[in-house]
Amino acid sequence: CGGSVSDSSGMLQSPNYPGSYPNDADCLWEIQVENNFRVTLTFRDIAMQGGTCQHDYIEVYDGPAHSSPLLGRFCAGSFPTYVSSSNMMSIRFHSDSRYSFRGFQAHYSSIPAGHNTTIQCLPDYMHVVVSRDYLQSQGYSAQRVTLNDNRCSPTVTSQEVVFNIPYNSCGTIQEENNDTINYSNTIRVASSGYIIKRKKNINLHVSCKMLRKSWQQVMYAAEDTVDVNEYQFGRYDMNITFYDSPAFLQQVRSSPYYIDLNQNLYLQACLHSSDPNLKVVVDTCVASPDPHDFNTLAYYLVRNGCPRDSSYATYFSPSSHFARFKFNAFEFMSRHPSVYLKCQMMVCRLGDYSSHCYQGCSTRAKRDTSSAEEKVDVVVGPLQLREGDAQGGNT
């Protein structure tokens, strides 16, 4: 139960709903909608163990669960509605080992935020647009809009004041908490008049909160075809590419990627970020014949930093933004026409020796990870065996 949700609207419900939910459930949904939209969540049904809400309960957070304000905690009563202050909201459902009930059902959707100021968190900078109509309606001039570091000036058009604010300069401040690495800056709008000020100055505090944990999936066909499907939970931009040798000089661009049994496969994960103080490592890689199901038929190459396949190995990387590794095309591939690889990458602060990036193989649960980690999922594939290997099996 739980997981990352990125659709613009949808339904959440407790496990087995409308049947009884299981004991000892602990589910966390993270809803992230488009930039400059907000999440609105409305509960339509709640049937849980009542009372003090110590045993079974629902919690709603205004952003990532571990570092955001709690909007509400409840287990019975009326059906509330919550609206996030950003484009992310988290919902936690918990049950104990005693009684079981029908649970809950809720509907969420995205609504536009106010468009006086809009922010996009791009790989290398914050893209911030301030409406000139808004400034003029408040009596301010577009020529008096600056950053703390006035060497970084905006582009002023007929309708907008546009800032591209780097994450590692122009006075941007970096902070980290349990769930995110935050980049923030302040746009100042000064009132006119030096002797008599009839208006206050405006400070627009803008920030991008980059989620620490993301997965990427790569699918590869056992033949020689690679088609990389990339997506993010959070906003770190990550991709995985196959290379033709351990020198990591020539990318494999064909898709699907047709390979031979027992062929070594070389992969490089790349984090696209202007922040030099980040490190990426491979946390988990699992293979499956179904790009949408990595549980039913799953073959782990590495899990929680611990190699599960004897051929899996990592390589030295020239940059902390790269993670290089290899494995051998395994017998699993001779039984399925195409194989997809889903890898969870870990992003940490460079030099944070308490993080999994430096500790390597770990058997701890994900929720016990260091405060300075973020995971990113990537899926790559398909891999397919060459025709001769597919027909001949273990030849």
Side-chain angles (χ1 to χ4, degrees):
C1 61
S4 297
V5 180
S6 57
D7 295 333
S8 59
S9 64
M11 197 78 71
L12 302 181
Q13 55 193 31
S14 50
N16 302 331
Y17 181 90
S20 297
Y21 51 77
N23 291 329
D24 300 314
D26 199 24
C27 313
L28 180 66
W29 292 268
E30 291 184 333
I31 303 172
Q32 184 175 4
V33 296
E34 289 184 47
N35 282 308
N36 305 306
F37 280 74
R38 300 173 192 254
V39 181
T40 177
L41 178 76
T42 302
F43 285 84
R44 295 179 170 179
D45 185 21
I46 303 172
M48 301 169 60
Q49 182 179 355
T52 59
C53 300
Q54 295 299 310
H55 306 289
D56 298 355
Y57 54 84
I58 301 166
E59 293 175 330
V60 180
Y61 292 89
D62 191 12
H66 301 296
S67 57
S68 302
L70 179 66
L71 296 177
R73 176 182 169 126
F74 53 92
C75 57
S78 60
F79 300 162
T81 293
Y82 297 97
V83 180
S84 66
S85 59
S86 69
N87 65 331
M88 189 168 185
M89 178 186 283
S90 298
I91 299 91
R92 183 183 179 207
F93 169 73
H94 176 81
S95 67
D96 68 3
S97 58
R98 299 182 67 192
Y99 305 109
S100 186
F101 297 84
R102 187 170 68 244
F104 79 91
Q105 185 180 68
H107 179 266
Y108 79 89
S109 59
S110 58
I111 56 174
H115 289 298
N116 295 330
T117 304
T118 61
I119 303 174
Q120 283 184 284
C121 301
L122 300 174
D124 294 326
Y125 57 88
M126 287 184 272
H127 180 71
V128 183
V129 177
V130 184
S131 162
R132 288 191 67 171
D133 285 346
Y134 164 69
L135 293 172
Q136 290 164 4
S137 70
Q138 301 299 310
Y140 294 93
S141 165
Q143 309 307 320
R144 299 181 63 81
V145 182
T146 62
L147 282 178
N148 278 343
D149 185 342
N150 55 22
R151 292 171 297 178
C152 301
S153 56
T155 300
V156 180
T157 71
S158 61
Q159 296 182 314
E160 300 168 334
V161 180
V162 182
F163 286 92
N164 290 326
I165 308 172
Y167 294 132
N168 60 346
S169 61
C170 292
T172 299
I173 297 171
Q174 301 177 20
E175 299 174 308
E176 58 182 76
N177 60 34
N178 285 352
D179 293 298
T180 57
I181 296 174
N182 301 338
Y183 303 92
S184 59
N185 210 314
T186 302
I187 296 173
R188 303 193 182 282
V189 186
S191 68
S192 57
Y194 297 98
I195 300 173
I196 300 174
K197 287 194 173 183
R198 302 190 182 278
K199 291 182 178 293
K200 294 181 179 180
N201 296 336
I202 296 177
N203 290 336
L204 297 173
H205 300 284
V206 294
S207 64
C208 282
K209 298 184 176 184
M210 313 295 268
L211 291 170
R212 291 183 180 281
K213 297 172 186 171
S214 33
W215 280 85
Q216 300 214 359
Q217 295 190 27
V218 288
M219 55 180 211
Y220 49 96
E223 239 183 3
D224 270 336
T225 314
V226 150
D227 186 17
V228 177
N229 293 334
E230 175 191 324
Y231 61 94
Q232 304 157 225
F233 304 131
R235 300 193 190 92
Y236 279 121
D237 185 11
M238 184 98 66
N239 71 346
I240 291 181
T241 309
F242 286 97
Y243 281 78
D244 65 355
S245 78
F248 291 94
L249 296 176
Q250 188 71 38
Q251 292 185 10
V252 176
R253 299 189 181 277
S254 57
S255 180
Y257 183 12
Y258 293 99
I259 60 174
D260 301 314
L261 268 185
N262 299 318
Q263 176 181 335
N264 281 327
L265 304 179
Y266 305 96
L267 299 93
Q268 175 176 275
C270 178
L271 171 67
H272 303 281
S273 172
S274 63
D275 184 350
N277 298 308
L278 298 177
K279 178 179 175 64
V280 60
V281 299
V282 182
D283 183 72
T284 298
C285 274
V286 57
S288 167
D290 184 346
H292 308 295
D293 179 2
F294 285 86
N295 296 308
T296 307
L297 284 172
Y299 182 89
Y300 280 90
L301 296 165
V302 56
R303 191 170 192 176
N304 297 327
C306 304
R308 292 294 185 88
D309 182 278
S310 60
S311 71
Y312 176 85
T314 58
Y315 288 91
F316 170 78
S317 172
S319 163
S320 63
H321 284 194
F322 295 153
R324 292 174 169 179
F325 58 104
K326 71 100 174 178
F327 63 92
N328 196 279
F330 37 88
E331 180 60 26
F332 187 81
M333 298 210 55
S334 67
R335 301 196 300 271
H336 305 286
S338 294
V339 175
Y340 298 79
L341 186 67
K342 179 178 180 179
C343 293
Q344 186 177 61
M345 313 305 297
M346 182 85 74
V347 181
C348 311
R349 298 299 293 171
L350 196 61
D352 177 10
Y353 293 98
S354 67
S355 71
H356 279 172
C357 289
Y358 290 92
Q359 292 177 352
C361 177
S362 171
T363 55
R364 294 186 303 165
K366 291 177 188 172
R367 67 176 67 120
D368 297 329
T369 54
S370 152
S371 67
E373 299 167 6
E374 170 166 350
K375 291 182 179 172
V376 185
D377 285 2
V378 190
V379 177
V380 187
L383 292 182
Q384 295 178 1
L385 281 177
R386 292 185 197 279
E387 199 165 314
D389 278 353
Q391 292 172 349
N394 284 332
T395 55

